[in-house]
């Protein structure tokens, strides 16, 4: 199976899983998935977050998702239990479609690492 086809198939499977668990059957968009990953990585459960916290959760998720690609590295947890990452390498300039593909690849890898979809 071609790499692009496998990515599409894996990502569609993730969308199905998340739609049934969090979207009342409706597909979640990329930002919603990133937000959910941030909540998961924070590990405080489903609590109510302020607007600034939501932005920070998405930042945590993006850092965690791009860590295996060598762009970020976990640094420490602060006193409130929030993870912090340091930048190892700046992201190259990417077109919108390229950014989307990179994030989908990272999300698929994350879900495979979490054993939510098979390798």
């Amino acid at each position: 199976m071609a790499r692009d086809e496998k990515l599409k198939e894996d990502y569609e499977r993730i969308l199905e899983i998340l739609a049934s668990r969090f979207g009342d059957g409706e597909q979640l968009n990329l930002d919603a998935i990133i937000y959910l990953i941030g909540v998961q990585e924070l590990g405080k459960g489903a609590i109510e977050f302020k607007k600034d916290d939501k932005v920070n959760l998405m930042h945590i998720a993006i850092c965690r998702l791009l860590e295996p690609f060598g762009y970020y590295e976990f640094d420490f947890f602060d006193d409130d239990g929030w993870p912090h990452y340091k930048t190892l390498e700046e992201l190259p300039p990417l077109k919108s479609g390229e950014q989307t593909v990179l994030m989908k690849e990272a999300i698929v890898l994350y879900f495979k690492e979490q054993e939510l979809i098979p390798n």
Side-chain angles (χ1 to χ4, degrees), residues 90-108:
E90 292 295 324
L91 281 167
L94 299 171
K95 296 177 184 168
S96 178
E98 294 169 329
Q99 289 176 1
T100 301
V101 170
L102 175 62
M103 292 312 297
K104 286 181 178 181
E105 288 175 346
I107 288 167
V108 166

Side-chain angles (χ1 to χ4, degrees), residues 18-29:
L18 296 178
S20 67
R21 290 187 185 173
F22 301 103
D24 294 326
E26 298 289 322
Q27 278 194 352
L28 277 61
N29 66 28

